[in-house]
Amino acid sequence: LMQRRTSRTLSRAVIVAVILAVGATIWQSWTAGMPGMSGVVATQWGPLSPADRDLIVKVRLACLWEMSTGQQVQQQATNPAVKEAGRKISAEHTDLDQKTRDIADKLGVPLPASPNAQQLGWMKEIASKTGSDYDRTAVQRLREAHGIVLPILAEVRISTRNDLVRQFAADGTLYVTRHIGYLESTGLVNYSALPEPQSPGLLSGAASWTDL
């Protein structure tokens, strides 16, 4: 009788353990996509979020293609102002890339070794042009790219809980803002061709279902 009771008790314990394990798995799957529920890593400089890591990777990608493109612009552009913008952008992205690799090493963030498909497309497009078309295309694509990364830097800067990432985002913002100024000073930016800003939604006074 005692042996049967022990057997039943063990069986119940195993069943409970299985239920708890399954429940934990389901909970992890539910929370995997929820902000603040997973993917946050503790570091000595504060929590490191997925958004923090994504920013570091995106800045690395920007450096990879803009260092190379800036060097090419310095050599192939016909407009002296474009050449100078390329020189400054290449040199400063080299500095920023070092900062990016330093913070990635400290925080354990894996970095890409080559530009992404979109950036490679931009590089191919720029390289296919000559003369004044080369100048305009290079300036336009570089200006567009800097406009993409600037709001990402700003968003992480105001929301990150990690001290290293906060300073990195602040430094990156200064670099990117300067580069936008270099490019716009050439007088070749076609502002009407830049991506449209996101709608402010209800703050604009609109009341359509899309704003809601």
Side-chain angles (χ1 to χ4, degrees):
L1 182 61
M2 182 66 70
Q3 187 175 3
R4 291 179 180 175
R5 289 178 179 174
T6 301
S7 178
R8 285 198 297 270
T9 301
L10 288 174
S11 297
R12 289 172 182 169
V14 170
I15 292 172
V16 170
V18 170
I19 291 173
L20 290 175
V22 172
T25 301
I26 294 173
W27 172 251
Q28 290 174 356
S29 68
W30 284 349
T31 59
M34 297 182 183
M37 296 297 291
S38 67
V40 177
V41 177
T43 76
Q44 67 184 85
W45 300 280
L48 182 71
S49 72
D52 296 337
R53 293 192 292 272
D54 181 66
L55 172 67
I56 295 171
V57 169
K58 281 187 168 63
V59 173
R60 167 65 169 171
L61 286 169
C63 289
L64 285 171
W65 92 276
E66 290 174 31
M67 286 187 294
S68 175
T69 300
Q71 291 174 351
Q72 184 191 84
V73 168
Q74 186 180 356
Q75 297 170 358
Q76 298 189 21
T78 59
N79 186 318
V82 177
K83 283 180 176 287
E84 181 63 9
R87 184 191 68 79
K88 290 179 179 179
I89 288 172
S90 178
E92 292 188 16
H93 264 293
T94 300
D95 293 339
L96 182 57
D97 188 59
Q98 184 61 59
K99 294 178 184 290
T100 305
R101 286 183 282 123
D102 288 344
I103 191 174
D105 287 343
K106 290 178 180 178
L107 297 175
V109 178
L111 293 178
S114 61
N116 62 28
Q118 182 184 44
Q119 293 163 337
L120 290 172
W122 288 335
M123 295 172 74
K124 183 178 180 180
E125 179 188 9
I126 293 169
S128 70
K129 306 295 183 180
T130 58
S132 59
D133 285 342
Y134 178 92
D135 294 351
R136 285 193 295 270
T137 303
V139 168
Q140 192 68 23
R141 291 304 178 217
L142 285 166
R143 172 60 178 82
E144 180 181 341
H146 283 84
I148 291 172
V149 75
L150 184 58
I152 299 173
L153 284 160
E155 184 175 356
V156 172
R157 170 65 181 82
I158 63 176
S159 63
T160 184
R161 274 65 168 169
N162 188 282
D163 293 339
L164 280 185
V165 174
R166 187 177 304 109
Q167 186 58 54
F168 176 73
D171 290 343
T173 299
L174 294 176
Y175 278 92
V176 172
T177 302
R178 278 202 306 273
H179 297 175
I180 288 175
Y182 298 155
L183 294 163
E184 293 180 346
S185 70
T186 66
L188 297 179
V189 175
N190 181 1
Y191 295 100
S192 64
L194 294 174
E196 290 287 340
Q198 293 185 356
S199 169
L202 291 177
L203 296 180
S204 68
S208 68
W209 69 270
T210 54
D211 294 311
L212 295 172

